[in-house]
Amino acid sequence: MNLNIILVPVDFSPVTPAIYETAAALATRMKAAVLVLHVCEKEAEYQQITSPAGNTADKAPTGSDVSGHLNEAFAFFKGQGLTVDTTIRSGEIVSTILAEADRRGAGLIVMASHGHGALYSLLVGSTTEGVIRNSKVPVMIVPSKPAAH
């Protein structure tokens, strides 16, 4: 575990900017690098957005909508004066997030809770819940809805 790396898995939902803000604030305080991860469940989608060499880990990717979103993330974190890396992986979302955290030695995962509700989580499952239950490192959850006062 390396407290100098914060893994930020994103699906580019409306809560994504809040995740970036939270991760940037933590990375600044911790003097940590940020790794923004997008996971494609379908191999065909992954093939469409990765570079011909299949390696996007060393640069901000270019090309598709996903790559455009990752370019925006890259620019945001760079603009905050942080070290940032972006990557796209293919596979089952929870296990891929956890594998990437292990592979990169992340010390913290910052991700969203979409707040679908108990019935949805019971029937479909929750990515956030799966990561929390199986992560070897702390997971910070950014709520999708602001707290009521």
Side-chain angles (χ1 to χ4, degrees), residues 80-99:
Q80 301 290 315
L82 297 166
T83 301
V84 61
D85 192 4
T86 62
T87 194
I88 302 166
R89 297 285 181 243
S90 177
E92 189 277 325
I93 295 174
V94 171
S95 62
T96 303
I97 290 170
L98 296 171

Side-chain angles (χ1 to χ4, degrees), residues 46-68:
Y46 177 72
Q47 295 296 334
Q48 240 177 0
I49 58 181
T50 57
S51 67
N55 180 7
T56 60
D58 298 324
K59 63 185 180 303
T62 59
S64 72
D65 287 345
V66 169
S67 294

